[in-house]
Amino acid sequence: MKPLETTPAVRARMSRQKSRDTRVEVALRRALHAAGLRYRVHRRPVKGVRREADIVFGPARVAVFVDGCFWHGCPEHATWPRRNAEFWRSKIEGNRGRDVDTDAKLAEAGWLAVRVWEHESAADAAARVQEIVRRRRTTG
């Protein structure tokens, strides 16, 4: 595989990208906690499925994933870099495919995967997640 064309500045910026406890994720967790919900953080909802959810509501079987607009190809905000375009398109499309596969595997095990985009307001996303969790607790 040929090495990626990059600059030291880009390499440094990309190495600082957080994969957990992002600003959006922490804001969502705070809003959920303030609403009285309790959850686990960065857990695999289903044994044997090597996928980690950002927020897990065990009894309700709800797994929340906070997806970055760039990394997961947000339909509103995705950008396609011109440099190393083939690499990035493959990477982002692979992430999208894995997201679909994750949702399906969780559904097979009786879980509901909830996707929150990083551009969503924490309050709106928390209200949506809260409604889903409460509904699944009363019907489950």
Side-chain angles (χ1 to χ4, degrees):
M1 184 162 111
K2 109 179 179 188
L4 298 177
E5 293 179 30
T6 189
T7 65
V10 168
R11 191 175 295 113
R13 187 176 71 239
M14 295 305 276
S15 72
R16 287 190 303 269
Q17 294 293 314
K18 293 173 77 172
S19 63
R20 59 182 354 186
D21 301 328
T22 62
R23 189 172 13 102
V24 177
E25 186 182 323
V26 170
L28 176 60
R29 291 193 324 232
R30 283 188 179 135
L32 291 167
H33 193 273
L37 295 176
R38 300 301 177 255
Y39 46 82
R40 300 281 184 205
V41 177
H42 298 289
R43 297 284 163 99
R44 291 181 183 169
V46 178
K47 289 183 196 273
V49 177
R50 294 188 56 189
R51 308 289 165 78
E52 184 179 278
D54 297 310
I55 302 168
V56 176
F57 297 92
R61 291 183 163 223
V62 174
V64 180
F65 297 87
V66 181
D67 293 340
C69 290
F70 174 76
W71 298 104
H72 295 266
C74 169
E76 291 181 44
H77 302 107
T79 57
W80 298 102
R82 288 188 297 267
R83 179 173 273 169
N84 302 310
E86 186 178 319
F87 168 83
W88 286 111
R89 183 158 300 272
S90 174
K91 171 74 174 156
I92 293 166
E93 291 298 334
N95 289 346
R96 284 176 165 175
R98 191 171 43 260
D99 293 344
V100 169
D101 183 62
T102 297
D103 295 354
K105 285 182 175 171
L106 292 180
E108 286 172 19
W111 285 74
L112 177 64
V114 177
R115 299 273 168 188
V116 174
W117 288 108
E118 74 174 322
H119 67 261
E120 289 185 66
S121 95
D124 291 347
R128 182 164 53 96
V129 170
Q130 182 179 5
E131 177 59 31
I132 291 167
V133 169
R134 297 231 160 126
R135 192 176 30 209
R136 286 186 59 102
R137 282 182 179 163
T138 59
T139 61

